[in-house]
Amino acid sequence: MPRYPDGYRDFQMRGVVRPEVGVFRPTRPDGRAVLIVPGGGYSITSLRNEGIDVARVLNAFGITAFVLSYRLPGEGWADRADVPLADAQRAMRLIRANARSYGIRAEKLGVLGFSAGGHLAGSLTILPDFKAYRTVDAADRHSARPAWAGLMYAVSNMDPGRSHGGSRANLLGPDPLPAVQARFVIDRQLKAGDPPLFLVHAEDDTTVPVANSVDTLAAARRAGIPAEAHFLQHGGHGSRHAPVAAVAWIVMAAIVRSLDGRTRLGVTM
């Protein structure tokens, strides 16, 4: 449980055998909803800093939030690279199957991911119909496609020397097949009709280079996908007190407003 200088304690998960989705409901829900995917380089999940705390901020805007605690690929699973995606797909389908009981609009369900969790959110965006797991029940008839995707200082690809090395090694393993590596390159697989994107990244991020988000934005533009990006000169990689994190909290509301047609998508640099 890492501790910050001000005494704040993050809550990090490893060894997840049974994935879980925590439900965080606002006092006055307005029907909007988001699945939050914490990061951690596919070696841990930063469940509080990039999950629970984010959910509580969204709740203040009337948004119902779901925090995903997913299985990690390097913990002995067969088809390791598909395990996190399977958990994200299943979470989206279960949420939609129970939308009425949660008081949400299934068609407005988006995904918001951070760092490696941003890569997983991006994977869900481009691979909603990929058969990552065997059908479990009637919930799997629902779509896993997010209505929008917020990718915060996210890993966008699995190319050696271009990706975040830890995320790549943990997701793919030591000797990945080329087809598996190519499957999880987000920017090169974006296509017309994919969900709108919202990107935040600091230019001085030394963990996940800002080129990951720059390339994603350029790919979205080529494909004609609505996209908004905020590139910050300073902020580093997702520190609790970094400007990147502070701005992310503020602009989360803008993500959903933009999809309701009340905010024009653009680019801030």
Side-chain angles (χ1 to χ4, degrees):
M1 185 178 290
R3 189 168 184 167
Y4 290 80
D6 64 351
Y8 175 89
R9 291 173 181 262
D10 194 9
F11 179 37
Q12 297 183 345
M13 290 291 291
R14 290 189 179 91
V16 173
V17 176
R18 187 183 181 95
E20 294 184 348
V21 179
V23 185
F24 295 81
R25 303 189 190 204
T27 303
R28 296 178 179 174
D30 62 10
R32 296 176 298 174
V34 57
L35 175 67
I36 300 169
V37 188
Y42 287 120
S43 64
I44 55 97
T45 53
S46 183
L47 204 59
R48 181 182 177 188
N49 187 36
E50 295 175 340
I52 295 168
D53 287 354
V54 180
R56 288 173 174 156
V57 170
L58 288 171
N59 285 168
F61 292 97
I63 302 166
T64 302
F66 303 84
V67 177
L68 178 62
S69 177
Y70 53 93
R71 293 173 294 165
L72 297 169
E75 296 185 336
W77 304 101
D79 299 325
R80 62 186 292 160
D82 295 335
V83 164
L85 178 60
D87 294 349
Q89 288 179 340
R90 176 68 173 165
M92 293 289 284
R93 289 166 176 150
L94 284 171
I95 293 167
R96 284 196 165 115
N98 294 280
R100 181 173 295 180
S101 65
Y102 293 131
I104 64 172
R105 292 174 287 170
E107 74 278 7
K108 292 291 185 180
L109 177 63
V111 65
L112 178 65
F114 298 80
S115 193
H119 179 266
L120 181 49
S123 298
L124 184 66
T125 301
I126 63 170
L127 299 169
D129 301 319
F130 177 78
K131 195 73 173 176
Y133 65 95
R134 294 181 181 178
T135 299
V136 178
D137 53 33
D140 287 326
R141 297 173 188 164
H142 291 265
S143 173
R145 183 183 187 272
W148 52 269
L151 310 181
M152 304 295 165
Y153 43 92
V155 178
S156 72
N157 65 82
M158 289 288 116
D159 295 349
R162 183 168 165 262
S163 177
H164 172 235
S167 294
R168 181 181 189 277
N170 290 322
L171 183 67
L172 302 180
D175 190 24
L177 295 172
V180 176
Q181 178 177 313
R183 181 186 306 155
F184 292 100
V185 176
I186 310 302
D187 51 15
R188 290 200 291 270
Q189 294 198 68
L190 288 171
K191 60 188 180 303
D194 280 346
L197 302 177
F198 189 94
L199 314 173
V200 174
H201 216 128
E203 294 180 22
D204 64 351
D205 189 334
T206 58
T207 302
V208 176
V210 68
N212 282 259
S213 289
V214 172
D215 291 346
T216 299
L217 177 63
R221 289 283 184 260
R222 289 193 297 271
I225 300 167
E228 179 170 331
H230 292 256
F231 296 109
L232 309 172
Q233 188 173 4
H234 302 291
H237 185 74
S239 166
R240 178 169 173 258
H241 296 292
V244 135
V247 169
W249 309 159
I250 294 167
V251 298
M252 282 174 200
I255 300 172
V256 252
R257 285 201 306 272
S258 68
L259 297 166
D260 287 338
R262 298 198 298 271
T263 297
R264 183 178 179 182
L265 288 165
V267 181
T268 301
M269 298 187 70

